[in-house]
Amino acid sequence: VMLELDMSEIEPSLAGPKRPQDRIPLKEMKPVFYDSLQKVFSKSAPPDEEKNQSRMQYEGGSASPKHQDFVNVAIGKENFEITHGSVVIAAITSCTNTSNPSVMIAAGLLAQKALEKGIKTKPWVKTSLAPGSRVVTDYLKSAGLTEALDAQKFNLVGYGCTTCIGNSGPLPEAIANGIKEGDLVAAAVLSGNRNFEGRIHPSVRANYLASPPLVVAYALAGRIDIDFEKEPVGLDKEGKSVFLKDIWPSQDEIAKTIEHSLDVGMFKEKYGKVYDGDENWRSLDVAETQLYHWDAKSTYIKNPPFFVDMPAEKAKPGNIKGARVLGLFGDSVTTDHISPAGAIPYHSPAGKYLTDHGVEVKDFNSFGSRRGNHEVMMRGTFGNIRIRNQLLENVEGGYTIYFPSGKQMFIYDAAMKYQQDNTPLIVIAGKEYGTGSSRDWAAKGTTLLGVKAVLAESYERIHRSNLIGMGVLPLQFEKRDSWKKLGLSGREIYTISGIEEGLTPGKEISISAVDDNNTETTFNVIVRLDTPIEVEYYENGGILQTVLRQMRRES
């Protein structure tokens, strides 16, 4: 097979505002943002005459072309307006730059060239530099670019995951309050590979992935709705317009800089000591034992309950009877909607758990850092601030209805009540269920909440596999069926038959849904256990249980 690529068709692009697969050519960013503003975020775009107007943004006191909604903000001696499309986060992150010095050098050169022209990062933009490797800072320093990046506020904040996993930290209070006051669709631009809803920052709804130099460019512009070909990035020291093309480094300049600033010795020196750690790491008190010593007081690491009361031999799975719907969702529910990520909200079940265990809010850290504690993680499952459970009307966030009382409550709280009632739970969704990062906690949290089956129109491959690995049965509507077409409200009581007779790959089984008026809807679904080994995993209660029983038999 021969693949051909026309190099002339390659063009700079971004992705967003809430999925990494939604590519946007750079030249189309302005009209596409305005389109998203209306269709995705239900906001009004500027009048047509403003959309097409080339104008300076900050020197006139405005962060963007005039929208109907804007807020005056003051930080120190700086006064400005923020509005829809104002870039409030610009982050060069670890995900995409460690193995590509050319884009990091390009970012540094762009920052340097802009600085020489007198153009600086806008004051409302929170910036950061978080490489995945210490070698990055070595070659940036060797190239003489660290000073320029620092001057543009791209200061080193650490190494590893930061903004793209929700660890950007708080926005300045005035900015956060301004976004809330104006109900603004603020923007973030980051050189990561994830930008799903609610992941980057709770105050920022439009999130775009870009290369490191484009991150710098948008920090200089201060807004996402700019046409770089027609509108200047800023004004130079003489008041003349400077366009992005005027300060964008050439490929030859980038190559020569790399040649003079980067050598193999940097990698050997840093990676040769990668396991040594600093004094804090070396001074940790570690018990010399082959078994992990669980600390009952730890709020970071706990012994998970996956094997509690696990019988030596697998039990035959039974039908799922009298199940309630924990969540009723539409299309493209991602693993970022399901799995906990980012900051831990104070008012959430996870936040309450931590405060009840003596953890102050300033020490909450993030879900990612506490992924070793199932008590925290299960409380954050389906807790994304942007998820929409269709059991509720016009409600965002991790809420559901506990049907015995009819009350709205956190999904975790309702799940625990259902467990006390011995009521099995199911989740119903639309197309592409589980797209995204396919993290393990999207499946772990689901099973810990008591969900026995998920019924969707289609699945992301890895998440479907992960559900099986945690003992959750993935079911799929038959072709052309959906919960909407079947007239399901999610308020019914569900019985899933055909399991106890034995499952085979792709088997068709029956579901009965009885509503409050005792009207029964019966329909067939497909068991998405696609291979015999997946059937075995499910019958064992998950992949870990399967492995343990195999080890027992072999010992």
Side-chain angles (χ1 to χ4, degrees):
V1 177
M2 180 178 291
L3 300 177
E4 295 185 4
L5 175 65
D6 186 346
M7 298 293 287
S8 66
E9 294 181 356
I10 296 176
E11 58 182 326
S13 301
L14 293 87
K18 58 182 182 178
R19 300 195 310 175
Q21 63 263 44
D22 295 333
R23 186 179 72 88
I24 310 168
L26 178 62
K27 63 186 179 184
E28 297 176 14
M29 265 300 299
K30 187 172 183 176
V32 169
F33 172 73
Y34 288 144
D35 188 58
S36 297
L37 194 60
Q38 295 173 300
K39 294 180 180 179
V40 178
F41 302 110
S42 301
K43 300 293 182 181
S44 59
D48 288 340
E49 62 270 19
E50 286 281 357
K51 287 181 184 179
N52 301 319
Q53 194 174 64
S54 295
R55 53 179 285 175
M56 286 310 302
Q57 61 276 24
Y58 177 50
E59 286 73 14
S62 173
S64 195
K66 284 286 186 182
H67 292 261
Q68 184 177 352
D69 306 307
F70 64 92
V71 176
N72 291 303
V73 174
I75 296 181
K77 297 180 180 179
E78 297 276 7
N79 291 277
F80 45 81
E81 296 168 358
I82 58 173
T83 185
H84 302 308
S86 296
V87 173
V88 296
I89 292 177
I92 300 176
T93 63
S94 65
C95 310
T96 56
N97 63 43
T98 302
S99 60
N100 190 350
S102 64
V103 293
M104 289 303 297
I105 292 294
L109 288 171
L110 183 63
Q112 188 179 68
K113 289 174 176 291
L115 196 64
E116 291 170 353
K117 295 283 189 179
I119 300 171
K120 291 188 176 183
T121 295
K122 298 299 182 288
W124 55 85
V125 185
K126 180 172 185 176
T127 49
S128 61
L129 170 63
S133 168
R134 294 189 176 191
V135 177
V136 176
T137 45
D138 285 349
Y139 64 67
L140 286 174
K141 182 178 180 180
S142 176
L145 298 175
T146 302
E147 294 82 359
L149 286 166
D150 286 346
Q152 297 290 9
K153 300 198 297 183
F154 283 94
N155 306 92
L156 177 70
V157 296
Y159 299 90
C161 292
T162 52
T163 299
C164 43
I165 193 58
N167 291 340
S168 60
L171 293 174
E173 186 176 359
I175 299 293
N177 290 340
I179 293 172
K180 185 177 181 180
E181 177 189 338
D183 191 23
L184 302 179
V185 179
V189 184
L190 60 145
S191 65
N193 51 21
R194 304 284 195 276
N195 62 332
F196 298 108
E197 286 187 300
R199 182 180 178 111
I200 306 305
H201 193 283
S203 296
V204 184
R205 282 186 273 180
N207 300 285
Y208 295 91
L209 307 180
S211 66
L214 279 179
V215 171
V216 174
Y218 278 103
L220 298 172
R223 58 190 178 98
I224 204 71
D225 52 343
I226 180 174
D227 184 340
F228 282 119
E229 290 187 5
K230 300 177 181 177
E231 298 177 67
V233 178
L235 302 178
D236 65 14
K237 299 172 184 177
E238 298 176 355
K240 296 179 180 178
S241 294
V242 177
F243 292 83
L244 185 58
K245 64 182 180 180
D246 299 327
I247 54 176
W248 191 268
S250 68
Q251 288 297 313
D252 184 59
E253 189 175 6
I254 294 170
K256 288 181 178 178
T257 304
I258 292 175
E259 183 180 353
H260 291 101
S261 61
L262 187 63
D263 65 75
V264 69
M266 292 179 175
F267 292 91
K268 288 182 177 179
E269 194 273 330
K270 283 293 186 287
Y271 288 102
K273 301 176 182 178
V274 70
Y275 294 111
D276 293 349
D278 62 8
E279 179 58 31
N280 293 315
W281 175 261
R282 292 192 294 270
S283 63
L284 287 174
D285 183 20
V286 181
E288 294 184 7
T289 173
Q290 291 186 348
L291 294 176
Y292 184 78
H293 177 68
W294 299 100
D295 182 359
K297 296 180 181 179
S298 175
T299 56
Y300 277 94
I301 302 176
K302 282 196 171 296
N303 190 0
F306 301 127
F307 310 117
V308 173
D309 298 328
M310 188 187 92
E313 299 298 330
K314 68 181 182 181
K316 189 175 182 180
N319 293 334
I320 299 172
K321 301 176 181 178
R324 283 292 193 175
V325 176
L326 185 64
L328 181 71
F329 302 113
D331 297 336
S332 296
V333 171
T334 71
T335 47
D336 274 75
H337 287 118
I338 306 167
S339 179
I344 300 174
Y346 169 75
H347 60 83
S348 69
K352 184 177 185 302
Y353 169 85
L354 291 174
T355 54
D356 288 348
H357 285 75
V359 180
E360 296 183 36
V361 176
K362 66 181 179 63
D363 297 321
F364 272 12
N365 214 319
S366 65
F367 280 112
S369 67
R370 293 187 182 271
R371 62 186 296 114
N373 185 341
H374 65 277
E375 296 286 1
V376 171
M377 298 301 283
M378 65 190 288
R379 284 166 170 79
T381 302
F382 291 108
N384 183 287
I385 60 172
R386 301 293 176 219
I387 196 170
R388 285 183 175 268
N389 189 345
Q390 302 298 320
L391 294 176
L392 302 164
E393 189 174 347
N394 296 323
V395 175
E396 267 190 339
Y399 300 95
T400 192
I401 295 176
Y402 175 61
F403 287 110
S405 67
K407 291 183 178 180
Q408 175 182 320
M409 59 182 67
F410 284 113
I411 282 179
Y412 168 79
D413 292 337
M416 294 304 100
K417 284 183 173 291
Y418 282 124
Q419 287 192 21
Q420 292 172 5
D421 301 339
N422 293 316
T423 301
L425 299 172
I426 64 172
V427 167
I428 301 179
K431 300 180 181 68
E432 298 179 345
Y433 183 78
T435 58
S437 305
S438 301
R439 294 188 304 275
D440 56 342
W441 267 109
K444 288 178 181 176
T446 297
T447 195
L448 287 174
L449 291 180
V451 175
K452 303 302 180 184
V454 174
L455 173 58
E457 291 180 61
S458 62
Y459 290 88
E460 191 273 343
R461 176 182 60 85
I462 299 175
H463 183 59
R464 181 194 63 82
S465 177
N466 286 350
L467 288 173
I468 298 165
M470 293 310 302
V472 179
L473 183 63
L475 303 172
Q476 187 166 314
F477 287 104
E478 290 193 319
K479 194 172 183 180
R480 299 186 185 88
D481 270 354
S482 68
W483 61 266
K484 291 182 179 180
K485 290 180 180 178
L486 291 169
L488 302 175
S489 68
R491 297 171 178 269
E492 303 87 357
I493 295 176
Y494 289 76
T495 297
I496 304 174
S497 305
I499 299 174
E500 62 186 21
E501 293 88 347
L503 296 174
T504 55
K507 181 181 178 179
E508 191 175 275
I509 62 175
S510 175
I511 294 183
S512 166
V514 180
D515 65 17
D516 294 338
N517 297 320
N518 210 32
T519 300
E520 182 179 18
T521 300
T522 303
F523 55 97
N524 291 336
V525 297
I526 300 166
V527 175
R528 286 302 311 273
L529 304 175
D530 293 353
T531 63
I533 190 64
E534 289 185 343
V535 173
E536 183 179 354
Y537 290 159
Y538 176 70
E539 290 177 343
N540 273 281
I543 189 172
L544 298 176
Q545 291 84 348
T546 305
V547 171
L548 285 178
R549 291 187 176 117
Q550 287 177 347
M551 291 172 64
R552 181 178 180 274
R553 288 194 296 268
E554 294 169 358
S555 62

